[in-house]
């Protein structure tokens, strides 16, 4: 019984994450990772990361973020180990031993497919977990009007030991990605920061960018900053105060009537960024 | 080499004359820094960084006081808390830094001297400079003071700033 409840909760959490990160920036639940520090000095350096899905930023009060898809890239581009991973009731946590100098990128990346088909006069949805490779098996014989949308979600943080570097930040050209114009570990309150967003490697023009400062629980206003990427995919943010910020970029839903002809594409991007006081 | 510089810095901390073997004509900059006595439950001596800024030139660190003698260089973990210094200069340096690293100082007034053409100060191009002094204290606050001066200094030139929390009065005087 308990196990069954836990499982259904986990499923709910996953679907909540999916909705929150892919469907609408206004959805209630927000997925985030929160590093113990983003700017580090010293010789034996570790970062500890909390990961959760919640309403308020950055309070773990709803669901843990699953760590299955979390990977850490070291400054030289190699993969660094995720250590001491634990998923508790409201949050997950893990460590990364930062053995190199420079910037690490820690990201949870998931690709998937959603869609529907018509069979015997009824519209059915593709089962969860369908991928391009399993699509042929997922669509039964005789199905018509098959519509598919591929999904990509990326949730990431950056941490730097010593001087910021950009090797680990090289885009993979899949989904929505942040390309630094301003380095994401060199953010100061009052200074404008510019990032370029790419969708599958091309400038992601005209997409909504949502920026929300942490600490929501103890204030009345959300203080959300709404921006849009330009034709070159770039957006410039001036940070009002120091603190941790949640940044979210999403494409449109991709499943509307426009998506009928061509396969749709939806992607979401989340980053937690630390802004320091001048 | 590194050690001898540390000894020199430590010597100036207790008020001894500066021991650089510079010719009498060398320009010397004396920086006096007051570390305030604070009534707090848990007190640790602040980390303090001193650096020079000049328009169009990279920041130049001339002294950093931190816990340099901890096991496994552990004191470097908190260098990043001297936040502005870490950003403009510290993060590109290696520690301990020859002629720059120094021990933290107790509350009181400390004088450190820099001689043109020597040590961390080196040779300065003529122009307008700012000496920035930033202090950051474990479980305490952070404060940063800026003291503009021109180089080479005019006779009698001084600069002065006063902190409100983590730093007391900071002054620059020049002599030959």
């Amino acid at each position: 019984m308990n196990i069954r409840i836990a499982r259904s909760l986990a499923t709910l959490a996953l679907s909540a994450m999916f909705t929150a990160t892919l469907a609408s920036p206004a959805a209630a639940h927000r997925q985030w990772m929160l590093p113990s520090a983003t700017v580090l000095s010293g010789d034996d350096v570790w970062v500890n990361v909390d990961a959760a899905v919640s309403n308020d930023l950055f309070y773990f009060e709803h669901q843990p973020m699953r760590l299955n898809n979390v990977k850490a890239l070291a400054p030289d581009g190699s993969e660094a180990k995720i250590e001491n991973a634990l998923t508790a009731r409201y949050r997950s946590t893990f460590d990364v031993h930062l053995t190199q100098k420079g910037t690490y990128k820690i990201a949870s990346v998931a690709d998937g497919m959603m869609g529907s088909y018509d069979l015997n006069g009824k519209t059915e949805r593709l089962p969860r977990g369908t991928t391009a490779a399993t699509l042929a098996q997922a669509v039964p014989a005789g199905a018509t009007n098959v519509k598919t949308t591929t999904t990509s979600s990326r949730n990431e943080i950056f941490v730097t030991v010593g001087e910021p570097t950009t090797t680990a930040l090289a885009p993979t050209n899949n989904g929505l990605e942040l390309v630094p114009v301003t380095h994401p570990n060199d953010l100061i309150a009052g200074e404008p920061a510019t990032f370029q967003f790419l969708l599958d490697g091309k400038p992601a023009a005209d997409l909504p960018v949502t920026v929300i400062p942490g600490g929501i629980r103890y204030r009345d206003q959300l203080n959300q900053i709404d921006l849009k990427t330009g034709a070159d995919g770039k957006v410039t943010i001036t940070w009002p105060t120091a603190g941790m910020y949640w940044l979210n970029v999403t494409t449109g839903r991709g499943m509307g009537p426009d998506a009928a002809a061509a396969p749709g594409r939806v992607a979401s991007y989340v980053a937690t960024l630390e802004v320091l006081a001048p | 080499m590194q050690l001898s510089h540390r000894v020199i810095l430590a010597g100036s901390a207790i008020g001894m004359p500066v021991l650089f073997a510079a010719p009498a004509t060398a320009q010397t900059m004396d920086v006096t820094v007051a570390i305030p006595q604070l009534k707090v439950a848990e007190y640790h001596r602040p980390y303090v960084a001193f650096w020079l800024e000049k328009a169009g030139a990279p920041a130049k660190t001339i002294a950093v006081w931190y816990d340099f003698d901890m096991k496994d260089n552990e004191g470097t973990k908190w260098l990043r808390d001297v936040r502005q210094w870490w950003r403009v200069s510290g993060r590109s340096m290696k520690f301990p830094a020859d002629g720059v690293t120094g021990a933290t100082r107790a509350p009181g007034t400390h004088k450190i001297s820099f001689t043109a053409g020597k040590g961390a100060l080196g040779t300065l191009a003529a122009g307008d400079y700012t000496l920035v002094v930033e202090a950051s204290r474990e479980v305490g606050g952070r404060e940063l003071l800026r003291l503009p001066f021109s180089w080479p200094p005019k006779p009698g030139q001084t600069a002065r700033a006063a902190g409100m929390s983590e730093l007391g009065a900071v002054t620059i005087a020049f002599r030959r």
Side-chain angles (χ1 to χ4, degrees):
Chain A
M1 183 61 184
N2 277 337
I3 289 168
R4 200 172 283 172
I5 289 171
R7 272 202 196 133
S8 67
L9 277 174
T11 313
L12 271 173
L14 279 173
S15 69
M17 279 159 57
F18 200 68
T19 318
T21 55
L22 290 178
S24 154
H29 303 311
R30 303 183 180 101
Q31 190 191 123
W32 48 267
M33 287 191 281
L34 187 69
S36 53
T38 62
V39 174
L40 298 117
S41 59
D43 289 351
D44 184 31
V45 188
W46 291 74
V47 67
N48 177 236
V49 181
D50 280 346
V53 182
S54 70
N55 288 344
D56 284 353
L57 299 165
F58 293 92
Y59 305 99
F60 41 94
E61 27 84 319
H62 183 57
Q63 291 292 340
M65 194 183 107
R66 305 288 153 184
L67 300 180
N68 320 29
N69 297 318
V70 175
K71 287 197 166 119
L73 277 187
D76 67 359
S78 66
E79 202 174 321
K81 209 166 129 199
I82 304 292
E83 297 188 54
N84 303 325
L86 167 82
T87 295
R89 180 62 184 81
Y90 285 149
R91 69 171 153 176
S92 294
T93 183
F94 60 90
D95 292 329
V96 181
H97 192 182
L98 309 175
T99 55
Q100 297 179 20
K101 299 270 187 216
T103 301
Y104 285 71
K105 177 164 80 173
I106 301 169
S108 175
V109 180
D111 294 317
M113 181 178 272
M114 2 182 239
S116 64
Y117 54 85
D118 294 347
L119 186 65
N120 304 328
K122 274 181 70 182
T123 300
E124 306 283 353
R125 299 195 77 82
L126 285 175
R128 191 180 303 282
T130 303
T131 64
T134 61
L135 179 64
Q137 294 151 261
V139 177
T144 57
N145 195 24
V146 178
K147 295 180 198 168
T148 60
T149 295
T150 51
T151 64
S152 282
S153 71
R154 171 177 283 272
N155 180 353
E156 64 191 12
I157 53 173
F158 309 92
V159 295
T160 295
V161 185
E163 278 193 284
T165 58
T166 55
T167 304
L169 278 58
T172 63
N173 299 333
N174 176 45
L176 267 173
E177 294 179 282
L178 179 150
V179 175
V181 177
T182 306
H183 195 284
N185 287 143
D186 204 9
L187 308 177
I188 304 290
E191 289 185 11
T194 300
F195 305 125
Q196 186 187 33
F197 288 94
L198 302 182
L199 176 59
D200 298 332
K202 297 186 198 75
D206 207 30
L207 293 187
V209 178
T210 307
V211 179
I212 305 176
I216 293 174
R217 186 183 282 176
Y218 305 113
R219 63 175 186 258
D220 294 335
Q221 303 298 318
L222 191 55
N223 295 345
Q224 174 171 329
I225 303 167
D226 290 302
L227 302 164
K228 249 190 177 120
T229 57
D232 52 4
K234 286 181 186 167
V235 67
T236 296
I237 306 161
T238 300
W239 314 98
T241 53
M244 287 287 186
Y245 285 79
W246 187 78
L247 178 148
N248 180 214
V249 186
T250 51
T251 63
R253 293 218 45 177
M255 284 292 287
D258 327 348
R265 181 78 174 120
V266 295
S268 81
Y269 179 89
V270 171
T272 304
L273 300 168
E274 185 174 33
V275 176
L276 296 177
Chain B
M1 190 60 185
Q2 209 165 60
L3 274 175
S4 71
H5 279 294
R6 279 190 202 159
V7 168
I8 287 160
L9 284 174
S12 65
I14 53 170
M16 279 168 57
V18 172
L19 303 176
F20 286 116
T25 54
Q27 185 67 59
T28 296
M29 178 169 84
D30 292 326
V31 178
T32 308
V33 183
I35 306 286
Q37 186 93 47
L38 299 170
K39 281 200 165 173
V40 291
E42 181 184 347
Y43 181 80
H44 303 274
R45 295 175 180 185
Y47 278 23
V48 184
F50 302 79
W51 74 96
L52 299 181
E53 291 184 355
K54 180 177 187 282
K60 180 181 208 171
T61 300
I62 56 173
V64 185
W65 299 346
Y66 70 98
D67 293 328
F68 71 88
D69 54 355
M70 288 175 76
K71 175 172 70 72
D72 298 332
N73 218 6
E74 270 175 17
T76 55
K77 177 175 179 183
W78 311 106
L79 284 174
R80 56 97 195 268
D81 287 341
V82 193
R83 241 179 356 244
Q84 275 311 298
W85 165 74
W86 183 250
R87 185 187 191 207
V88 299
S89 179
R91 70 189 186 188
S92 64
M93 297 171 64
K94 279 191 163 46
F95 295 93
D98 189 16
V100 169
T101 286
T104 55
R105 309 294 174 95
T109 300
H110 304 277
K111 188 166 92 173
I112 51 173
S113 299
F114 303 93
T115 303
K118 299 275 175 186
L121 193 64
T123 305
L124 294 185
D128 293 326
Y129 287 83
T130 302
L131 171 72
V132 192
V133 182
E134 184 178 18
S136 180
R137 183 169 52 90
E138 184 179 350
V139 302
R142 182 184 74 108
E143 185 163 38
L144 180 147
L145 295 174
R146 307 178 69 86
L147 292 88
F149 67 93
S150 58
W151 188 270
K154 297 179 192 74
Q157 179 182 313
T158 58
R160 184 184 168 83
M164 309 283 284
S165 54
E166 301 298 335
L167 289 167
V170 178
T171 57
I172 309 177
F174 299 92
R175 63 185 160 87
R176 280 190 180 272

